[in-house]
Amino acid sequence: MRLSRFRWAAVMALPLGLMACAAGADEGGAKSASSEAAKTKAAKAKPAKVAFPSTYKAYPAQETVIIPVTIFDGAGGRIDNGWVHMADGKIKEVGGPTSMPPDVGNTINGAGKYVTPGIIDIHSHLGDYPSPSVAAHSDGNEATSPTTPEVWAEHSVWPQDPGFSRALANGGITSLQILPGSANLMGGRAVTLKNVYARTVQGMKFPGAPYGFKMACGENPKRVYGRKGRMPSTRMGNLAVNRQTWIKAQDYRKKRNSGKSFKRDLGMETLAGVLDGDILVHNHCYRADEMAQVMGMADEFGYKVSAFHHAVESYKIGDLLKAHGACSAMWADWWGFKMEAYDAIPENAAMVQNSGACTIIHSDDKNQIQRLNQEAAKALADGRRMGLEISDATAIQWITLNPAKAMGIDKMTGSLKAGKMADVVLWNGNPLSVYSRPDKVWIDGALMFDAADPKRRPVSDFELGQPGEGDVK
Amino acid sequence: MRKLIFSAAVAIAFATPAAAETVAITGGKVVIGDGSDPIDGGTVVIRNGNVVAAGASVKVPAGARTVDANGKWVTPGIFAGFSRVGLVEVGAVSSTNDSSARGSKFSAGLDIAPSIDPFRSSVAVNRAAGVTRAVVAPSSSGEIFAGQGAIADLGADNNPVTKARAFQFVEFGATGARRSGGSRSANHLQFRAYLREAADHAAGRAAFDDELMRKEDAKALQPVLSGATRLLVHVEGANDILRLIELKRSYPKIKMVLVGASEGWRVASDIRKAGLPVIASALNDLPEDFDRLSATQSNIGRMKDAGVNVAIGMINDRDAHQLRYTVQYAGNLVSLNRVPRATGLTWNEAFAAITSKPAEIMGMGARLGSLKPGRAGDVVIWDGDPLELSSAPTRVFIDGVEQSLDNRQARLRERYRNPVEGDLPKAYDR
């Protein structure tokens, strides 16, 4: 049920222009002509059971009110002297100074503190490139073929990665997307997790989150496979391999939708899922010209890029990104580590925001995931210094609601709207200041981190019995 | 358009170094950098390239150019405690990356100085972020010894090197073991053997064994043995630090500095007793490898509390391009003081850890790293608290010369301020 709901949401999100462009292509034509019929058929032809379903269960939540507190609601709003009421694991209500919350047993004084939604990192390799980063743990890139749509990142995630605890305690991260690496043009399925330790990956999977699909353009695929003497060894090779693969996926999807028996293919299943709009494309891409090529390819085959990741040159094409409806997930200021990162500038995110395109700050890093709030603050400051007017609350949206949207979980989390999951961070000061840290973090209303309580600090199996176990980190 | 043309002309004018002038920076919140409290409404005077006075009741000399810093902060420039700045333009383009020399026959003898290029983009970008001096170290490749590092400035002039051959850099711990054949035993023996060779070479003894080592490498280790240049040792694990302290007893003259030291807090009293200063990574808190199982952001604060002389450096952490993170790292250590059970630094300590402390640890404290009289005129004016994320330099002086804050990134920003092409392609817009 949840999957089909998301599929529809994704189809609705397709801009009209894209639908029109896609009409010329085989699949796109069928889709726009009678998409409803095709959808119904597609649903019937799919395997009945969802593989590896989430077994995540929210931990017990205590009804809680935080008052008085400064609130960034994640959707660009700010309330001074406000309050937050959480009950039954959900956001019950958020109010300002002229209203009063109900009297509940657990009332937290938030004077001088700030509340935000749980921070969301759309680009992480926790679990698939975990700590310690030894060869035995290097599970992020199936770099044996330039297209591996058949692999799923969740099958590489080690749920004992100590990095999850740092992301929680220092970064207030409550949800995160784990992607395959960028060696391959088509790297495989990404998985969205709740940042709650579990014995199994299934126990961490965000219930109802759509799958992501990792793609990569530019230097990495052509370097990795060019060195092996195989295609692609050039950027034109990158596009050719991608397009050939999409043509195969269109064929597969047509067979699948025909109602006749067909041979199941794991990779094609994922690609057809993208064409259905069920699986959201996350495309690692640095250069502006290459992002434009990818958007052209997406138009050709009738899918949409949910977010370009890294996107260091998005500032050059904010207008094009806005027209496609693609988000840019960016670092605040990484640059210069390779040719395609040479034109990165620290005003990138602010300039994308200023173009009216969707703006996200991501980490792709086990350290910076611990301070995405600070990365957003730096990107905000750089934008203001060039004269752009962007609010503090908007910068918080870059690390909450906007990534939630691009990951397809914004109906459930990402802002402090009543009815959403009570994924909440209480900060000991303004989260856009270097001097602030998470004080408490709730996930689905359950208190999962408390700076004042050493027992509310998760310690992974790996760290148990080791020097520094349970220390502040 | 006119404004853009003007700013480009200014950039060109600044590209040639102006003569050092007498400058008085008045009215700002002055931070000396030695750990003392900031001084409100202070004055800083720079003459002949050096700081001559800084404080509350400093008179403006006649004829000085006055710079109004009311509402701003005035500090010594940031001293990057460990870096590869100026060695790399594009990390993955090997022809622009001089940080290591995998194909070289030499190791300890390599001198980083000719590899430091003051016109690398990273020099301009980090200068605009307030970084004025840096420890610049080679990276090791085939051997435990990486070569001789330098102290450099980030000024826009032709002479980046403040002090060449200021130290030797060597790997211990996991990397040292790998470089010497696979074990810490091999690491220790190789270290001893090389130093013996160096001593033999110095003494002109016939036993010199150039199967093991080249003359150029041996010669470079002689000033290390005599204590004339420092030995910076990259080591992370607590046990590796203890064993290194034992090893050092055989070489009483060596002036050793620990670099990294993520587990230093567990053996902090041993480090203090051995008198070893530390240039530490500030925010390592993950068991990235088995040398760093107990890494914590409280490491520096705990070592400092134990009496260790500690500065902040960035080793193997975007150390060619992102020295501008130094202030953010220092600010994070201040934030720890508000986290229960964590140990951070006070603001004053944190700022000293990125200015005077690294200068002192490198033996340059009398010349660099603070606004005390006689120090080089490396002065930064900030639009707010320099450790805060929203702040940035408004003016930067190096050796008393005001610097351009322009760079490639700023030019790209201006070109794409409006991303849509106008009457001509973007390529004509500059």
Side-chain angles (χ1 to χ4, degrees):
Chain A
M1 280 308 279
R2 274 194 166 129
L3 269 175
S4 62
R5 186 157 58 85
F6 276 105
R7 185 202 314 142
W8 284 115
V11 170
M12 297 291 279
L14 284 172
L16 286 174
L18 173 55
M19 298 293 277
C21 285
D26 288 357
E27 282 300 294
K31 185 159 133 190
S32 51
S34 60
S35 63
E36 206 159 329
K39 291 289 169 195
T40 316
K41 226 180 241 179
K44 274 182 192 163
K46 274 184 196 165
K49 276 187 170 176
V50 177
F52 313 98
S54 168
T55 58
Y56 169 81
K57 292 265 187 317
Y59 281 85
Q62 194 181 359
E63 188 171 10
T64 299
V65 164
I66 309 167
I67 183 171
V69 74
T70 307
I71 298 166
F72 291 124
D73 69 5
R78 173 187 177 128
I79 303 172
D80 290 301
N81 246 315
W83 51 268
V84 177
H85 178 204
M86 301 180 255
D88 304 322
K90 307 283 185 204
I91 302 293
K92 190 84 177 172
E93 202 181 350
V94 170
T98 57
S99 60
M100 278 301 286
D103 218 357
V104 305
N106 187 33
T107 297
I108 294 168
N109 181 353
K113 298 181 180 177
Y114 285 65
V115 159
T116 67
I119 308 302
I120 300 175
D121 192 357
I122 194 171
H123 194 118
S124 172
H125 296 291
L126 292 183
D128 67 8
Y129 281 117
S131 304
S133 56
V134 294
H137 279 167
S138 177
D139 287 322
N141 272 306
E142 183 55 44
T144 50
S145 162
T147 58
T148 56
E150 65 271 30
V151 307
W152 294 22
E154 66 198 75
H155 298 144
S156 278
V157 170
W158 180 44
Q160 299 299 337
D161 185 351
F164 292 116
S165 67
R166 313 302 195 263
L168 177 74
N170 294 335
I173 300 287
T174 57
S175 304
L176 65 172
Q177 177 169 247
I178 312 301
L179 300 135
S182 53
N184 299 348
L185 295 165
M186 295 176 167
R189 282 198 198 198
V191 65
T192 294
L193 305 178
K194 283 272 181 180
N195 193 15
V196 176
Y197 276 110
R199 292 175 297 163
T200 64
V201 177
Q202 291 95 319
M204 298 180 77
K205 283 177 78 173
F206 192 117
Y211 276 105
F213 181 55
K214 172 72 180 286
M215 295 183 70
C217 57
E219 289 182 26
N220 289 6
K222 81 179 189 105
R223 183 186 69 244
V224 170
Y225 294 97
R227 275 184 189 165
K228 296 179 184 190
R230 59 182 293 195
M231 197 173 178
S233 68
T234 60
R235 284 182 161 86
M236 60 188 171
N238 284 353
L239 265 286
V241 173
N242 272 329
R243 293 171 74 211
Q244 282 292 355
T245 310
W246 283 123
I247 290 168
K248 282 184 198 151
Q250 287 181 323
D251 275 353
Y252 178 85
R253 185 164 175 264
K254 203 180 284 177
K255 275 184 205 143
R256 187 203 65 186
N257 289 356
S258 70
K260 294 174 196 159
S261 72
F262 67 102
K263 195 177 170 209
R264 214 182 139 196
D265 180 295
L266 268 183
M268 289 295 143
E269 218 164 71
T270 291
L271 294 174
V274 170
L275 296 176
D276 291 342
D278 288 349
I279 297 177
L280 305 175
V281 171
H282 295 275
N283 208 133
H284 154 123
C285 211
Y286 285 73
R287 267 173 27 189
D289 56 317
E290 290 192 273
M291 287 189 263
Q293 307 271 26
V294 168
M295 288 189 279
M297 175 168 69
D299 287 348
E300 180 184 7
F301 293 98
Y303 70 91
K304 178 178 171 279
V305 177
S306 188
F308 285 108
H309 290 230
H310 312 337
V312 301
E313 290 188 12
S314 279
Y315 69 95
K316 297 182 182 179
I317 52 163
D319 53 333
L320 306 184
L321 292 161
K322 185 187 177 190
H324 185 83
C327 294
S328 300
M330 298 158 282
W331 299 290
D333 55 15
W334 290 24
W335 71 287
F337 44 96
K338 53 179 168 171
M339 251 350 268
E340 60 192 4
Y342 196 44
D343 283 5
I345 66 173
E347 295 85 357
N348 189 27
M351 288 169 76
V352 172
Q353 171 74 35
N354 193 49
S355 292
C358 165
T359 307
I360 295 168
I361 301 290
H362 72 359
S363 82
D364 187 19
D365 185 80
K366 56 186 75 170
N367 291 301
Q368 288 193 359
I369 194 174
Q370 300 179 43
R371 40 189 172 272
L372 266 192
N373 55 311
Q374 295 181 24
E375 298 310 302
K378 287 191 294 182
L380 172 68
D382 286 316
R384 285 178 176 165
R385 205 167 289 115
M386 71 175 282
L388 303 181
E389 285 179 23
I390 299 168
S391 69
D392 286 358
T394 299
I396 294 298
Q397 189 174 340
W398 295 344
I399 52 174
T400 52
L401 187 59
N402 289 0
K405 274 184 190 160
M407 291 155 69
I409 54 173
D410 55 306
K411 299 285 182 288
M412 296 177 278
T413 189
S415 72
L416 299 178
K417 199 173 157 189
K420 284 195 183 182
M421 295 163 165
D423 296 343
V424 175
V425 184
L426 177 65
W427 303 83
N428 68 6
N430 187 335
L432 298 174
S433 165
V434 77
Y435 302 124
S436 303
R437 292 287 176 125
D439 191 9
K440 294 181 170 57
V441 183
W442 292 266
I443 300 181
D444 286 303
L447 184 62
M448 302 312 286
F449 172 73
D450 184 348
D453 180 0
K455 292 193 170 159
R456 291 280 165 169
R457 175 184 284 274
V459 176
S460 82
D461 290 358
F462 177 77
E463 296 195 272
L464 213 55
Q466 303 271 27
E469 170 196 335
D471 195 2
V472 287
K473 295 292 183 182
Chain B
M1 203 49 149
R2 187 179 298 264
K3 202 174 113 202
L4 290 183
I5 290 165
F6 174 73
S7 70
V10 169
I12 291 160
F14 271 122
T16 49
E21 49 182 345
T22 301
V23 181
I25 302 165
T26 59
K29 185 175 219 171
V30 174
V31 179
I32 301 296
D34 59 353
S36 58
D37 286 336
I39 302 157
D40 284 316
T43 295
V44 178
V45 178
I46 312 169
R47 187 190 293 139
N48 296 329
N50 295 319
V51 175
V52 292
S57 49
V58 171
K59 286 210 174 103
V60 176
R65 176 162 74 102
T66 304
V67 175
D68 178 18
N70 257 292
K72 299 197 160 64
W73 293 58
V74 185
T75 74
I78 304 308
F79 193 120
F82 194 92
S83 87
R84 268 91 191 210
V85 72
L87 306 180
V88 183
E89 184 65 30
V90 179
V93 176
S94 60
S95 61
T96 74
N97 188 336
D98 284 358
S99 59
S100 65
R102 192 166 300 279
S104 173
K105 298 181 175 75
F106 302 103
S107 58
L110 296 168
D111 177 357
I112 206 67
S115 291
I116 302 174
D117 181 344
F119 304 115
R120 295 288 191 206
S121 309
S122 56
V123 174
V125 164
N126 288 292
R127 175 169 67 232
V131 182
T132 57
R133 300 274 163 175
V135 171
V136 185
S139 299
S140 69
S141 42
E143 291 281 352
I144 58 171
F145 288 103
Q148 304 164 92
I151 309 297
D153 71 68
L154 279 75
D157 58 58
N158 297 333
N159 304 302
V161 175
T162 310
K163 185 178 181 186
R165 298 172 298 283
F167 62 94
Q168 175 67 232
F169 183 54
V170 67
E171 289 283 357
F172 267 72
T175 309
R178 195 164 67 245
R179 296 272 184 266
S180 41
S183 77
R184 284 158 172 83
S185 305
N187 190 173
H188 277 238
L189 182 58
Q190 191 155 348
F191 182 83
R192 287 180 180 280
Y194 281 11
L195 289 180
R196 179 184 53 75
E197 287 288 320
D200 285 354
H201 185 258
R205 283 196 284 269
F208 182 76
D209 176 6
D210 52 9
E211 286 298 305
L212 182 66
M213 193 173 201
R214 288 171 188 274
K215 286 191 183 70
E216 289 78 2
D217 294 330
K219 277 167 74 175
L221 291 178
Q222 285 159 14
V224 172
L225 269 173
S226 70
T229 62
R230 281 167 168 69
L231 179 66
L232 268 58
V233 185
H234 178 212
V235 61
E236 300 285 359
N239 182 58
D240 290 325
I241 292 170
L242 291 175
R243 304 289 84 84
L244 187 68
I245 289 170
E246 288 168 0
L247 180 66
K248 193 197 168 299
R249 290 191 192 119
S250 309
Y251 307 95
K253 284 186 183 165
I254 289 184
K255 281 188 189 149
M256 197 179 274
V257 176
L258 306 185
V259 175
S262 293
E263 291 195 328
W265 66 274
R266 285 172 52 210
V267 292
S269 62
D270 299 270
I271 297 173
R272 178 182 49 77
K273 281 180 208 148
L276 299 181
V278 182
I279 298 170
S281 303
L283 300 183
N284 282 358
D285 65 0
L286 282 162
E288 257 304 275
D289 50 40
F290 286 78
D291 287 12
R292 286 180 275 180
L293 287 175
S294 66
T296 166
Q297 296 183 19
S298 292
N299 184 40
I300 286 181
R302 289 173 184 169
M303 284 197 287
K304 194 242 138 212
D305 282 359
V308 176
N309 190 17
V310 59
I312 293 174
M314 291 170 66
I315 178 157
N316 302 341
D317 172 21
R318 303 180 177 88
D319 48 18
H321 289 95
Q322 299 285 47
L323 302 178
R324 54 187 175 185
Y325 286 3
T326 305
V327 283
Q328 183 185 359
Y329 287 3
N332 270 276
L333 295 190
V334 177
S335 79
L336 290 180
N337 285 334
R338 295 176 55 218
V339 175
R341 298 193 298 145
T343 309
L345 298 179
T346 66
W347 194 97
N348 293 344
E349 290 165 349
F351 203 78
I354 57 175
T355 51
S356 62
K357 282 287 174 189
E360 285 165 14
I361 288 172
M362 295 311 295
M364 308 281 286
R367 275 292 296 144
L368 300 169
S370 82
L371 297 184
K372 288 181 181 167
R375 271 62 177 183
D378 298 354
V379 183
V380 179
I381 305 177
W382 308 77
D383 60 9
D385 172 356
L387 302 189
E388 186 53 280
L389 303 164
S390 55
S391 305
T394 59
R395 289 170 185 251
V396 173
F397 297 81
I398 296 178
D399 284 323
V401 178
E402 183 156 13
Q403 302 288 315
S404 166
L405 302 185
D406 206 10
N407 56 62
R408 260 195 103 239
Q409 299 190 340
R411 300 298 302 283
L412 283 161
R413 175 192 72 216
E414 290 309 316
R415 172 171 280 185
Y416 287 95
R417 192 172 266 279
N418 172 5
V420 182
E421 284 98 345
D423 296 338
L424 280 170
K426 285 287 175 193
Y428 295 80
D429 189 359
R430 63 197 175 90

